Amino acid sequence: MLTLDHVTKTYRAGAFGGGSVTAVDRVSFTAAPGEVVSLIGESGSGKSTIGRMILGLTGVSSGTLTLDGQRVRPGKDFYRRVQGVFQDPFSCYNPVFRADRVFDLVRRAYHPGVPDKEWADRVEKAVRDVRLDPAQVLGRYPHQLSGGQLQRLLIARALLLDLSFLVADEITSMLDASTRIDVLNLLAGLKERGLGVLYITHDLALGTYLAEKTVVLRRGRIVERGDTHKLFGNPLHPYTRTLLAAVPRLNQPWDPPQPVESCAFHEAGPPATTDLYETEPDHFVACAQLPDCGRTPA
Ligand SMILES: Nc1ncnc2c1ncn2[C@@H]1O[C@H](COP(=O)(O)OP(=O)(O)O)[C@@H](O)[C@H]1O
Ligand SMILES: [Mg+2]
């Protein structure tokens, strides 16, 4: 179980390091094994910072972040269980080496004792598990493979570890629509294996596809979170509503979303409070005045 409890990240900013930016402000949520949590919000809202803190790539300024009750401690044992896959798969490969070198690195670090034949079998199985044909992808150079294939190889690499949690940061952003669905189906498969997944996206339509929980972030603060069906069936925060309205529906004419309506609790910016209010079981919203603040959009 991944648990974030009032997790805050403040970056030093400004020419002389004098200023600071609170990129993530007292964020709390959990992700259980076998559960996909989607983290949604516009660019700059702090999503990647949360992913990087979970992966131990950046420190937590305050609050606690634990996996199975233990604090994140980057190192070999930790990365056996927690891995990240990111938006641009090309950046994870060295163009002068064959793409399957990423598997060799895993072998060297984590499975040095496995004999060649057995290792080759494991790699083939992992590659098949991500629905790639080993004959078509192994031995190729990154430029000979598509973005979707490279992305899937990275997921296959993660499968060669005893993974319990995967951070997937905008992994479908660079893929075309049909490949995107394939990768999402893959994540659904990981979930069936009992992995927890943090699915970070700015694209609300896809995030809802497989997540049981949704966390909506705005400028570092959670504006609404809860059971995906409840949240999207009955979105309470104007920001969530705006996100929903921005999803084009094929059978309806385009109706541009209106800007977020201001209110004492959710101005133009982030909510004025980081306290969340439970409006129904498993459905939390940032404005303590909702649902009857009287200023929510119809
Ligand atoms: N290393 C850093 N140093 C200073 N500010 C940063 C750093 N990384 C991110 N930020 C700032 O933190 C905020 C959140 O960024 P990020 O987590 O990348 O958001 P998102 O992934 O939602 O686009 C942004 O204002 C960004 O400029
Ligand atoms: Mg990001």
Side-chain angles (χ1 to χ4, degrees), residues 47-48 169-170 200:
K47 305 180 300 293
S48 293
D169 190 351
E170 306 272 11
I200 297 177

Side-chain angles (χ1 to χ4, degrees), residues 7 12 79 82-83 120 151 161 163 169 176 180 198 258 286:
V7 168
R12 257 191 279 278
Y79 291 119
V82 184
Q83 287 278 315
Q151 200 68 280
L161 305 165
L163 213 60
D169 190 351
D176 57 65
R180 214 177 269 180
L198 183 69
Q258 299 305 306

